[in-house]
Amino acid sequence: MTLQEIIQSLDELSVDEQTSLFNVLQLRLAKTTQSSSNGETFWAMTLRFRERIEREGIEFTDEDFADLRDRSPGREVEL
């Protein structure tokens, strides 16, 4: 079953069934999000990263990021 077929089949569900499905999906999403970040928010992870960089004395300069960009024209597209 494709995602589009699943979405179309939602019309066949009652409001109570749709609500129940929505709650299950919310719980699964919360569980997935929590397990991928160990319950940490993006901001908390950013602060932890900054603290570690400072603690280890790592310094970034413009030279560290020089020539990182891929300057190739990309793929060819036929019009």
Side-chain angles (χ1 to χ4, degrees):
M1 188 175 243
T2 66
L3 179 59
Q4 186 62 35
E5 291 170 334
I6 293 170
I7 292 170
Q8 289 173 347
S9 69
L10 294 177
D11 293 333
E12 300 170 11
L13 299 176
S14 69
V15 173
D16 288 339
E17 290 171 324
Q18 289 180 20
T19 303
S20 179
L21 176 60
F22 179 71
N23 290 334
V24 168
L25 291 174
Q26 275 187 314
L27 289 173
R28 284 193 177 203
L29 179 61
K31 183 178 178 183
T32 302
T33 304
Q34 191 175 37
S35 65
S36 66
S37 65
N38 296 325
E40 244 182 330
T41 64
F42 176 77
W43 184 244
M45 288 186 282
T46 301
L47 293 176
R48 188 167 46 85
F49 172 78
R50 289 178 177 176
E51 288 171 3
R52 185 171 181 177
I53 294 297
E54 187 175 324
R55 183 176 61 244
E56 294 183 15
I58 299 173
E59 295 181 14
F60 297 108
T61 64
D62 290 341
E63 291 177 9
D64 293 321
F65 297 99
D67 299 323
L68 286 180
R69 181 175 176 214
D70 181 6
R71 298 194 186 277
S72 65
R75 65 183 175 96
E76 292 184 20
V77 178
E78 293 182 28
L79 300 174

